[in-house]
Amino acid sequence: MFAVAQRLWHLPHAVFQLCVVAVAVPLFPLRRRRPGAVLLVLAVLAGAAPVVGPVIAATAYTVALDTVRPRHRVRLLGGASLLIMASATAAGPSRGPGSAAYGLELGLLLAVTAVVVPGLVGTVYGQQARLLRALRERGDAAERARRFADSEARTHERSRIAAEMHDLVGHRLSLISLHAGGLELALDQAAPELREEAVLVRRTTRDAMRELRQALGVLGPLGRDTGPDALTDATGTRSDVEALVAESRDGGIAVRLEWSGPDLGACPARVRRAVHRVVREALTNVHRYATAAHVTVRIEQNDPTVRVTVRNGASPASPGTPSEAGTGRGLTGLRERVELLGGTFEAGALPSGGFQVVATVPAEPDDAVAWKRSEGGAEASPSAAPGDAAALSREPRTAGALTLALGAVALWVLMALAIGLVYAQPRHVARPVEPRLGMTYQELAGVVDIPAVRAAATGNEPPRPAGTVGCVYSPGGSGARPGSFGVIRYCFNASQRLVSIDRFTVPSVRDTPPWETP
């Protein structure tokens, strides 16, 4: 800064120009709020003080970069160019490089280098950024449309599979249940000891039909379930979970519900359905494998997540592992459902002999997470994409910043050279003084005595006027006759005043060769 300030003192009115810089620099941060006003004010200041050129160049670039409407951008840049030329022309005779013509020349150079060129660069970069943003939005819209189409296709296929299974398997199970009921009535009279077996077949068939409908509900549309457990506005809420707990109590299970936080009525339907499924599946497993165990259902709802915990102790009747272990398909389905929402799922035996199921589901799941997990599998990480995108976009941003910095330096150097050329031009060129009688010798600064002309005039000049004390001989051009040239004689008196100006011709001397002609 000291070196720059030191160089400024070589410009005329350096104190004034430094004061203008002190006024212009605080205006630069205001270009975001009042771009037009700041640009026009800086244009007036730059015309009066060319050192403000870099500041107005950066302002013109940012204004053109952020201005969307082309007409408004053209008006701003054109008005700033006219103002900088008018200001430089007005300040030329007093604060500028010299006359108004020099000021206009300086203003024209500043308008091109400090307003027009940065404005054009900012326009190109702004249009490029807006075009890329529009292309990204269009690509995102196309990607969302493709995901929606894929989701709809999968939903329709699941619905078709569910309908086929319901029509085929459901019909057969209904027939088995009907025949088992008839067999129960027949055995009641014929063989009462076998009636319990018929009752067991009918109940097992009824349970199989109910579980089949539940499985078909998973294959049904994403927005709703089929069967008796259809999704409603109350699914997954506190009242719904209390109803599930009450059903388990009626079935002979000691269940305690602990609820922390607000109800889930404001959560999305898929979150509430996931909570309902986790609680129902966990209680169903307790009914199958630990009927005598104490169960605790805990639901904790805060702003970012919903946490569901179902824990049962060891069954007194069968403290060890059940004789017939389950297939684990129910827990696998719960894990997939929770992870599709971007949550976590844990299920396993406790050291005390019981079992625990813990599911954490986001209160507001992201669609992109579910899509990436369903497309890429469990290895796809939702956080990998932003990092990769940032890494891919880091190099273009760095190259763009370096290009912009080099362009700004080159533009400022060009601006400094243009200003220096205008200030380096001669401002006041004195006209040669026309000799007049009575002028002193000192006033005739352009008149020089030539000894060769004096020697040529000796013997060929007219008589000198009376009172002449000395004469000065200057060349007067070629003579009227061939072989002669003109001489101008300025004669002065004792007071060194010009008393006569005589013009005459003398014969020219022709050079002879350096050898004698025989």
Side-chain angles (χ1 to χ4, degrees), residues 39 69 93 208 225 231 234 271 287 298 302 360 366 377 380 400 485 499 505:
L39 179 63
R69 293 180 296 173
D225 287 341
L231 177 66
V271 174
H287 278 277
R298 180 181 297 108
N302 49 37
T360 303
D366 188 6
F485 67 92
V499 294
T505 59

Side-chain angles (χ1 to χ4, degrees), residues 19 27 196 236 295 315 320 340 361 365 371 472 494:
C19 293
L27 291 176
E196 293 298 328
V295 184
S315 177
L340 281 175
V361 183
W371 175 77
V472 175

Side-chain angles (χ1 to χ4, degrees), residues 457 459-468 471 473 489 491 499-504:
N460 298 313
E461 58 180 326
R464 296 182 178 183
T468 299
C471 296
Y473 296 86
R489 186 183 64 185
C491 295
V499 294
S500 70
I501 303 175
D502 302 317
R503 299 177 183 274
F504 55 91

Side-chain angles (χ1 to χ4, degrees), residues 45-292:
L45 296 178
V51 292
V52 188
V55 180
I56 191 176
T59 305
Y61 170 79
T62 55
V63 169
L65 183 68
D66 298 334
T67 304
V68 178
R69 293 180 296 173
R71 293 185 178 179
H72 185 54
R73 182 170 55 247
V74 170
R75 284 196 295 267
L76 284 177
L77 297 179
S81 300
L82 293 177
L83 280 178
I84 199 170
M85 287 189 291
S87 177
T89 303
S94 59
R95 301 288 183 182
S99 63
Y102 284 104
L104 178 60
E105 181 181 354
L106 178 62
L108 182 60
L109 291 175
L110 287 175
V112 173
T113 57
V115 178
V116 176
V117 174
L120 292 177
V121 175
T123 300
V124 172
Y125 271 87
Q127 291 179 349
Q128 181 182 6
R130 287 185 286 272
L131 178 61
L132 290 177
R133 192 180 306 115
L135 291 176
R136 289 193 186 98
E137 292 176 356
R138 182 175 298 181
D140 293 341
E143 185 66 24
R144 287 194 298 269
R146 189 185 68 83
R147 289 186 219 161
F148 180 76
D150 294 343
S151 177
E152 286 293 321
R154 288 193 296 269
T155 300
H156 290 308
E157 185 64 19
R158 286 198 301 265
S159 299
R160 188 187 65 81
I161 296 174
E164 292 290 336
M165 292 181 63
H166 184 273
D167 293 341
L168 296 177
V169 183
H171 178 67
R172 298 299 181 184
L173 289 177
S174 298
L175 291 177
I176 293 174
S177 178
L178 180 62
H179 290 298
L183 181 62
E184 178 184 353
L185 294 176
L187 293 177
D188 192 16
Q189 299 295 334
E193 67 278 3
L194 298 178
R195 180 178 177 277
E196 293 298 328
E197 297 296 332
V199 172
L200 179 61
V201 171
R202 181 174 58 82
R203 290 179 179 177
T204 304
T205 305
R206 183 189 61 188
D207 293 341
M209 188 65 184
R210 178 174 57 84
E211 292 178 356
L212 174 64
R213 288 173 178 172
Q214 293 177 0
L216 295 181
V218 176
L219 294 176
L222 295 178
R224 59 180 178 84
D225 287 341
T226 58
D229 299 319
L231 177 66
T232 64
D233 293 338
T235 301
T237 60
R238 184 166 185 170
S239 60
D240 179 59
V241 175
E242 289 176 349
L244 292 176
V245 171
E247 291 178 1
S248 296
R249 288 199 189 104
D250 295 340
I253 304 298
V255 185
R256 184 177 75 255
L257 174 63
E258 298 178 358
W259 192 287
S260 175
D263 203 349
L264 303 181
C267 293
R270 48 186 174 171
V271 174
R272 293 187 285 107
R273 182 169 60 250
V275 172
H276 175 88
R277 294 283 182 155
V278 170
V279 174
R280 190 177 69 179
E281 181 68 22
L283 292 179
T284 300
N285 290 337
V286 172
H287 278 277
R288 291 177 178 175
Y289 309 115
T291 55

Side-chain angles (χ1 to χ4, degrees), residues 331 335 345-349 355-358:
L331 296 179
R335 183 184 303 276
F345 182 85
E346 296 178 1
F355 199 84
Q356 177 177 271
V357 175
V358 180

Side-chain angles (χ1 to χ4, degrees), residues 147 367-378 380-386:
R147 289 186 219 161
D367 293 335
V369 175
W371 175 77
K372 288 176 185 176
R373 289 185 178 270
S374 62
E375 292 291 335
S381 175
S383 60

